[in-house]
Amino acid sequence: MRPLEQLTRPNVWRLKPYASARDEYNGADATVFLDANENPYNVPHNRYPDPLQREVKRILAPIKRLPVESIFLGNGSDEAIDLLMRAFCCPAVDNVVAIDPTYGMYQVCAEVNDVAYRKVPLEEDFSFRADKLLAAADEHTKLIFLCSPNNPTGNDLSRPEIERLIERFEGLVVLDEAYNDFSEAPSFLSELPRYPNLVVLQTFSKAWGCAAIRLGMAFASPDIIAILNKIKYPYNVNELTQRQAMEMLHRHYEIAQWVGTLKEERSRLGAELAKLPCTVKLFPSDANFFLVRVTDAVRIYRYLVGKGIIVRNRHNVTLCGNCLRITVGTRPENEQLLEALRQYDA
Ligand code: PMP
């Protein structure tokens, strides 16, 4: 890995971050807060939240088996994606490399920041080859984005290939594990101490059932996390979100139950989708959704909308011609979808 100072944008490396009132206050016993120009009324919404979300991280750290200093929390993992782009990539100079197809926000964040986005197509079976990504990279490539299980294809990426990429690439590898809870593949979190150039993204939006609260996680070396903390908005995770996250973390056994149920539903839904006359190919899934090639994706998408059922049309996405992406819902929701598709007249 190149030294972090060489990978970071020079202006960010030099930046003296904004210090909020609550950054300076270190949590020592205090009862009178006259430091942040807040309104003393309207408890509990009147106070600024902890800028570093220390309570949430204190509960999260043992669950993830990582030190607090290796955890960044943001307004969805989308915030972490954007901050990585802004921290490491000089606009109009640097570039990032990513597999294609994959989650659309990597490209959007790159383009917003005027960072060239280099797509490397997956193989026909949706696997990826580390060598192809490395061949697309040059001295201006700061980040390589991987997503496993990948959205929208649903498959885990090969672990040895991911390791190969991390070992050979001199910049940072960002591995998005938004859907890892639904996969049998172990997370890469335990590998972080071995790989100083690895950033793992996870989210409260999927298995944790908290898409509404907007809470994403980035895990990396304390040096990388410190750079993200330096450039984030001071109060990027609001108080209501921090409280709800703590409540969810205390109930983490329930999440395991949801995941178990959703995996059972995934098997059932997959078996039924495969039998439908309109299904051309059902791709295996390690996530909480299926990619399905159908006879006519645009027509079936519109047909389902007419029945009040919304799926994602991926027809125009690389390698996904005539494909729909279908989230695993509750048993009655999945049944409603299947019944509609059984009635569909090709
Ligand atoms: N990564 C992937 C692969 C996703 O599919 C999504 C949401 N669809 C996200 C990240 C965004 O997560 P968040 O809600 O935490 O911003």
Side-chain angles (χ1 to χ4, degrees):
M1 176 189 173
R2 282 156 64 190
L4 204 53
E5 182 171 0
Q6 271 179 35
L7 290 174
T8 309
R9 282 170 69 186
N11 60 309
V12 169
W13 189 260
R14 287 191 307 265
L15 182 80
K16 189 175 178 309
Y18 173 75
S20 69
R22 293 293 134 79
D23 275 318
E24 286 173 10
Y25 161 65
N26 66 5
D29 271 352
T31 50
V32 181
F33 289 98
L34 304 176
D35 57 343
N37 300 348
E38 297 148 335
N39 184 331
Y41 308 114
N42 202 31
V43 174
H45 302 303
N46 58 329
R47 300 292 177 194
Y48 283 105
D50 177 356
L52 289 172
Q53 311 95 23
R54 282 168 279 215
E55 274 291 286
V56 184
K57 288 178 187 169
R58 196 175 53 75
I59 308 170
L60 185 60
I63 294 176
K64 299 295 177 184
R65 295 170 203 231
L66 284 171
V68 162
E69 297 72 28
S70 283
I71 307 176
F72 167 86
L73 295 179
N75 188 336
S77 16
D78 288 343
E79 182 184 0
I81 295 165
D82 187 54
L83 289 182
L84 285 162
M85 215 68 81
R86 292 204 280 145
F88 298 105
C89 303
C90 289
V93 175
D94 289 331
N95 66 72
V96 302
V97 168
I99 53 172
D100 182 42
T102 192
Y103 179 45
M105 280 304 283
Y106 315 141
Q107 180 165 8
V108 170
C109 287
E111 288 177 357
V112 166
N113 289 293
D114 199 11
V115 170
Y117 186 79
R118 300 184 175 177
K119 298 178 181 185
V120 178
L122 294 174
E123 307 302 304
E124 282 294 321
D125 63 357
F126 299 145
S127 64
F128 91 106
R129 301 257 289 277
D131 287 345
K132 289 193 180 173
L133 292 175
L134 290 164
D138 61 20
E139 74 276 17
H140 289 297
T141 307
K142 297 294 189 62
L143 310 172
I144 295 184
F145 282 91
L146 295 178
C147 182
S148 182
N150 188 35
N151 177 6
T153 55
N155 58 306
D156 278 323
L157 301 181
S158 143
R159 195 171 185 91
E161 282 297 291
I162 297 175
E163 285 170 345
R164 212 170 137 83
L165 184 74
I166 303 170
E167 280 159 17
R168 305 234 173 130
F169 182 51
E170 301 262 275
L172 304 185
V173 173
V174 183
L175 175 61
D176 189 338
E177 292 189 338
Y179 300 100
N180 176 261
D181 300 87
F182 303 104
S183 161
E184 301 310 315
S187 159
F188 264 78
L189 281 189
S190 57
E191 307 296 329
L192 275 176
R194 273 215 293 154
Y195 295 127
N197 62 333
L198 173 63
V199 180
V200 175
L201 303 180
Q202 295 185 357
T203 177
F204 276 70
S205 299
K206 311 295 174 186
W208 287 83
C210 282
I213 73 172
R214 310 305 302 129
L215 189 61
M217 300 165 266
F219 304 96
S221 72
D223 290 343
I224 294 175
I225 296 302
I227 293 172
L228 299 182
N229 281 334
K230 189 157 108 158
I231 65 169
K232 74 182 184 67
Y233 286 168
Y235 304 108
N236 61 327
V237 178
N238 73 67
E239 182 69 24
L240 301 177
T241 295
Q242 293 192 38
R243 279 173 203 227
Q244 185 60 26
M246 287 189 276
E247 190 185 321
M248 294 309 295
L249 288 166
H250 287 305
R251 284 164 49 192
H252 70 263
Y253 51 90
E254 273 180 58
I255 282 85
Q257 279 177 7
W258 284 334
V259 169
T261 306
L262 288 169
K263 280 160 102 174
E264 278 170 29
E265 270 312 299
R266 176 176 70 191
S267 315
R268 219 183 60 84
L269 176 62
E272 294 303 312
L273 284 172
K275 288 186 205 158
L276 295 170
C278 64
T279 296
V280 174
K281 181 168 173 129
L282 178 82
F283 295 96
S285 171
D286 300 301
N288 67 335
F289 58 84
F290 280 105
L291 189 72
V292 198
R293 177 157 292 131
V294 290
T295 45
D296 186 337
V298 175
R299 191 154 168 256
I300 295 173
Y301 172 80
R302 288 207 198 108
Y303 164 81
L304 288 173
V305 171
K307 301 241 166 205
I309 299 169
I310 314 301
V311 297
R312 193 95 151 106
N313 178 7
R314 299 284 77 188
H315 176 57
N316 290 323
V317 169
T318 312
L319 299 174
C320 297
N322 269 325
C323 286
L324 299 175
R325 193 192 68 194
I326 300 177
T327 308
V328 179
T330 62
R331 168 77 62 105
E333 287 171 337
N334 301 334
E335 237 353 279
Q336 220 180 311
L337 168 87
L338 287 166
E339 206 35 55
L341 289 174
R342 285 181 197 118
Q343 285 165 20
Y344 173 77
D345 203 358

